[in-house]
Amino acid sequence: MKKYFVIAAMCAGVCTGAYWAGGRVASQKCATQIAEIRAEQQSVNLENMVNVNEKVFNTGVRDIRRILRTEYTIAE
């Protein structure tokens, strides 16, 4: 009788260990996916920043003054 309790306890221990290990693997995969998504988003943000800076550096002072005069004049 005692032998069956030991076997049942061992099976329960193995099942509990497998459940715990599976949870750890799943959380690690989730963390990896989140890191990949963040890296991809950061590269997109960096690319957008480079495009904006390129437009700003290629715009001359005369263009800026012209745009400001046409867009923001005081109506009489």
Side-chain angles (χ1 to χ4, degrees):
M1 186 81 162
K2 184 178 177 184
K3 182 178 182 181
Y4 294 116
F5 288 126
V6 171
I7 292 173
M10 287 175 60
C11 287
V14 168
C15 289
T16 304
Y19 179 77
W20 179 78
R24 297 285 297 166
V25 169
S27 68
Q28 191 66 25
K29 284 183 180 179
C30 182
T32 303
Q33 287 177 345
I34 289 172
E36 288 174 357
I37 290 169
R38 286 182 179 170
E40 182 180 333
Q41 184 63 38
Q42 188 171 1
S43 67
V44 167
N45 288 344
L46 184 61
E47 184 178 329
N48 288 340
M49 190 172 65
V50 166
N51 290 338
V52 167
N53 284 341
E54 182 179 328
K55 289 178 185 177
V56 169
F57 287 131
N58 290 334
T59 303
V61 175
R62 291 180 185 170
D63 292 335
I64 294 172
R65 287 181 180 167
R66 181 185 52 80
I67 292 169
L68 288 174
R69 284 185 185 140
T70 58
E71 295 291 324
Y72 302 104
T73 58
I74 299 173
E76 292 181 349

